[in-house]
Amino acid sequence: MALQFLLVALVSAINIMIHASVTVGAIGIARSAGYRHTRWPRLHLMAVMVVAATALMLAHTLEVLVWALAYRIIGAAPAGSDLLYFTFVNYTTLGYGDITPVEDWRLLGPMTAMNGILLFGWSTAVLFEVLRKTLEHLATIGAPGFSPEDR
């Protein structure tokens, strides 16, 4: 069991580093794009949010691939199972239960889900902050339809 906790700590740390890097990049891109003047503020706001959400989704996909690699290295998935599907089901907490880890590694499923929940919550906070800051900027520059009183 200690080996499972050690593996989870290592993979989670890698995923947290990936997420932190993408978060910093997404916020930087959103900040630079969000602070521009625009003729079409609503379209601009949508574009900023789409870019931020897409970057975060790519981060989650990369994080699932890290988990899948760990599962492959230790042989946590049953022989013949779809490793990527198995990993996504665990990471997203979907929990179909049609594929379960081999007995020696059965704690990896819930621990992978715990990592996924943490990182999805983080992404939600980032998206909300990008939205808030972009709305604040649009109100500050007096973009049509965005009033400072609405903040």
Side-chain angles (χ1 to χ4, degrees), residues 11-27 29 50-68 84 87-88 91-92 112 115-124 126-127:
V11 174
S12 293
I14 291 168
N15 281 348
I16 289 167
M17 287 187 281
I18 291 168
H19 217 75
S21 298
V22 172
T23 296
V24 168
I27 288 174
I29 291 167
V50 166
V51 168
T54 300
L56 291 165
M57 286 181 65
L58 290 172
H60 286 291
T61 302
L62 181 57
E63 292 152 10
V64 167
L65 292 173
V66 170
W67 275 109
L84 194 57
T87 308
F88 262 106
Y91 183 85
T92 61
T112 302
N115 183 240
I117 289 169
L118 172 69
L119 298 177
F120 280 122
W122 182 346
S123 292
T124 301
V126 168
L127 287 172

Side-chain angles (χ1 to χ4, degrees), residues 7 27 31 55 73 80 82 84 121 125 146:
L7 177 70
I27 288 174
R31 182 173 288 144
I73 290 170
D82 182 344
L84 194 57
F146 296 91

Side-chain angles (χ1 to χ4, degrees), residues 16-104:
I16 289 167
M17 287 187 281
I18 291 168
H19 217 75
S21 298
V22 172
T23 296
V24 168
I27 288 174
I29 291 167
R31 182 173 288 144
S32 67
Y35 285 175
R36 293 191 180 130
H37 287 271
T38 178
R39 287 186 186 176
W40 302 284
R42 292 188 194 300
L43 186 59
H44 181 80
L45 175 61
M46 286 175 29
V48 168
M49 294 307 297
V50 166
V51 168
T54 300
L56 291 165
M57 286 181 65
L58 290 172
H60 286 291
T61 302
L62 181 57
E63 292 152 10
V64 167
L65 292 173
V66 170
W67 275 109
L69 177 63
Y71 285 5
R72 164 93 57 216
I73 290 170
I74 63 169
S81 62
D82 182 344
L83 187 61
L84 194 57
Y85 166 78
F86 174 62
T87 308
F88 262 106
V89 167
N90 285 327
Y91 183 85
T92 61
T93 72
L94 187 57
Y96 280 143
D98 54 342
I99 304 173
T100 57
V102 295
E103 186 71 22
D104 291 343

